[in-house]
Amino acid sequence: MMRILLFLATNAAILVVISVIFNLLGLKSTLDAQGVNLNLEALLIMSAIIGMTGSAISLAMSKWSAKRAMGVHVIERPSNQTEQWLVNIVAQHAKHAGIGMPEVGVFQAPEPNAFATGMSRNNALVAVSTGLLQSMNADEVEAVVGHEISHVANGDMVTMALMQGVVNTFVYFFATVIGHVVDRVVFKTERGYGPAYYITQIVMQIVLSILASMLVMWFSRYREFRADAGGAKLAGREKMISALRALQRAHNPEDLPGQLAAFGINGGGMSRLFMSHPPLEERIAALQNQR
């Protein structure tokens, strides 16, 4: 609840600040003089509704979509010793982390990987790949599960959804403002909306979304260090370090699709600014430097 209240307060403060800046700079009056006639306050509210609705729907569907995207087999009744052991480890970590028992699943993939997703701390899914179970020893798998349980305990799924909602809000807001300016000021459209408005808005949404994703990925990398520390606390620091070293030995780990990448265990990425995970050597060093 505190996280949501903090988010709402921060979002409201940002809306107020942007409105004040627009008025202090005289931008609103300038736009009105040019015939743009934008109601910035109404646009902010509409942008927030659009931005947050998409993020909320994505969060609500996260478990359902993850199961289908990854072909997750949810373990309802363990059919072998490995499944029973995995369920027991998840239950043990969940109890120590103070969260509800997540659903436990396995998905077919030769690469070692895992992820956690769900709407809340008490309504989550933790899934591991068959490659992880086959390539890592019990201590390393235990540490990976601890890492994912820490994501759940830290409320990372909700936090990321809220942050993405804020980003969506301001991407839509500024793209719309720029679209109006180009349409009315540059192309002199007097009534309604011309093609320039729609084209500019779409292009700016794409450009601004790419730029904004750098902020989201920065926060994702920060969360990974916290989840590593949580995994070390639940399973043991040496086990967590060993699990990360095992990932280093894996050859070309396959990325998880879409938003699941932000909740995985591997450290892939082509560019530092757009990486959802820090480099594995940095994560190992951070654990080694813990006291």
Side-chain angles (χ1 to χ4, degrees):
M1 179 61 69
M2 284 302 297
R3 183 183 304 107
I4 295 175
L5 291 176
L6 179 61
F7 158 75
L8 293 175
T10 302
N11 195 34
I14 293 173
L15 293 175
V16 171
V17 168
I18 287 181
S19 181
V20 170
I21 291 174
F22 269 57
N23 283 293
L24 288 177
L25 294 178
L27 180 57
K28 188 176 188 304
S29 59
T30 300
L31 294 177
D32 290 341
Q34 294 293 334
V36 175
N37 297 322
L38 266 180
N39 186 329
L40 296 177
E41 290 77 13
L43 177 59
L44 281 171
I45 294 173
M46 183 180 71
S47 299
I49 293 173
I50 292 172
M52 295 307 302
T53 298
S55 185
I57 292 174
S58 177
L59 178 63
M61 295 179 61
S62 59
K63 281 208 303 182
W64 179 87
S65 59
K67 290 175 184 177
R68 280 149 185 78
M70 300 302 298
V72 175
H73 163 65
V74 176
I75 303 174
E76 297 179 353
R77 293 183 180 180
S79 60
N80 53 56
Q81 288 185 339
T82 299
E83 289 187 354
Q84 184 64 65
W85 175 82
L86 181 61
V87 170
N88 291 342
I89 287 297
V90 172
Q92 175 184 315
H93 286 337
K95 180 179 180 180
H96 289 163
I99 65 172
M101 177 65 182
E103 290 186 81
V104 184
V106 177
F107 58 95
Q108 294 289 331
E111 299 79 13
N113 224 321
F115 68 86
T117 191
M119 285 191 65
S120 70
R121 289 160 47 95
N122 297 318
N123 182 22
L125 165 70
V126 173
V128 302
S129 70
T130 52
L132 184 139
L133 294 174
Q134 294 165 1
S135 65
M136 290 189 178
N137 61 39
D139 287 346
E140 292 165 349
V141 174
E142 180 184 353
V144 170
V145 171
H147 173 100
E148 300 305 333
I149 289 293
S150 294
H151 272 310
V152 178
N154 292 338
D156 285 342
M157 289 85 72
V158 175
T159 303
M160 284 292 288
L162 293 176
M163 185 172 187
Q164 188 63 60
V166 172
V167 167
N168 294 343
T169 296
F170 294 110
V171 164
Y172 185 86
F173 174 81
F174 286 112
T176 301
V177 169
I178 295 171
H180 272 277
V181 171
V182 171
D183 191 44
R184 298 295 176 87
V185 178
V186 179
F187 287 87
K188 306 298 182 180
T189 301
E190 296 181 358
R191 300 182 63 182
Y193 301 106
Y197 166 76
Y198 297 104
I199 295 172
T200 302
Q201 190 200 43
I202 292 173
V203 170
M204 291 310 302
Q205 283 194 58
I206 295 172
V207 172
L208 293 175
S209 293
I210 292 173
L211 294 176
S213 69
M214 292 189 289
L215 177 62
V216 177
M217 290 301 99
W218 170 83
F219 183 71
S220 177
R221 292 192 296 272
Y222 166 75
R223 291 178 319 102
E224 287 306 308
F225 287 117
R226 290 182 61 207
D228 285 343
K233 184 177 180 180
L234 290 171
R237 183 169 65 173
E238 293 306 316
K239 292 181 182 179
M240 192 71 244
I241 291 174
S242 178
L244 293 176
R245 284 177 173 160
L247 289 173
Q248 281 186 314
R249 295 191 296 269
H251 181 64
N252 292 329
E254 182 177 331
D255 290 335
L256 294 169
Q259 65 177 187
L260 296 182
F263 302 103
I265 186 70
N266 74 34
M270 295 182 64
S271 171
R272 176 79 184 193
L273 291 177
F274 294 96
M275 288 173 62
S276 63
H277 290 56
L280 288 166
E281 57 269 20
E282 291 185 15
R283 296 168 63 181
I284 292 171
L287 288 173
Q288 291 173 331
N289 293 332
Q290 279 185 352
R291 295 183 179 179

